[in-house]
Amino acid sequence: MLRMALIAVSLAMLTVVSAAQDAPAGIKRTPLQKIAFPEGYSTVMGLAEIAPGASSGSHTHPGIETGYILEGEVLMSVDGQPDQTLKAGDSYLIPAGVVHDVKAIGNGPSKALATYVAEADKPLASPAP
C-alpha cells in the first residue's frame, strides 16, 4: 500500500514538473508539493519567479488559485476586476476558470507562493482562448 502511494505521488510530481517546464519565457515555476485532496481535486503549492517585465500570459485554472507575493511587485489582471498592483506582503485570490495574467513591474524580479485547488483530471493551467 505504501509503495502504491509513493508511486502515485511520484507520478503526480512528474505532472507538476512537466507543467513547470511549459512556463513562458521569463517565468520559472518550481513545484513544492502536490496532494490528492479533497477527493477529486489536487492541491498544489509552487513558487513562481517572474523576471522584470515578464508576463504569464492570459490563462485559466480548473480551480481556485490563492497566493502571496514574497518579493517584488506585480500587475495582476483578472477578468471582471480592476487591475491591481501587488507588492511583497500582499495576497490574492483568483476564482476557478477566470482568465487572468500577471506581469512583473518595477526594477527587479518578483516571487510569489501560489496554491491551487484544482480538478485532478484537468491540466493545472490552460492558455486563455
Side-chain angles (χ1 to χ4, degrees):
M1 188 63 127
L2 178 58
R3 180 181 165 139
M4 293 298 280
L6 290 174
I7 290 170
V9 169
S10 296
L11 289 173
M13 286 309 295
L14 285 174
T15 301
V16 173
V17 169
S18 174
Q21 293 170 347
D22 294 336
I27 307 279
K28 178 183 175 188
R29 294 183 178 133
T30 305
L32 301 175
Q33 63 179 318
K34 179 177 180 177
I35 59 172
F37 182 81
E39 187 173 331
Y41 287 80
S42 293
T43 299
V44 179
M45 181 184 287
L47 177 67
E49 299 174 79
I50 310 168
S55 171
S56 66
S58 294
H59 63 283
T60 63
H61 303 286
I64 65 164
E65 174 184 356
T66 184
Y68 181 81
I69 307 301
L70 297 167
E71 179 181 309
E73 192 172 4
V74 299
L75 179 65
M76 180 75 68
S77 300
V78 179
D79 276 6
Q81 300 178 17
D83 287 354
Q84 290 184 348
T85 299
L86 304 173
K87 61 186 182 327
D90 290 338
S91 62
Y92 63 91
L93 172 69
I94 301 167
V98 174
V99 175
H100 60 285
D101 186 16
V102 63
K103 179 179 182 177
I105 56 177
N107 298 325
S110 298
K111 292 183 183 178
L113 181 64
T115 301
Y116 309 87
V117 180
E119 294 177 60
D121 60 342
K122 295 189 178 171
L124 187 58
S126 298

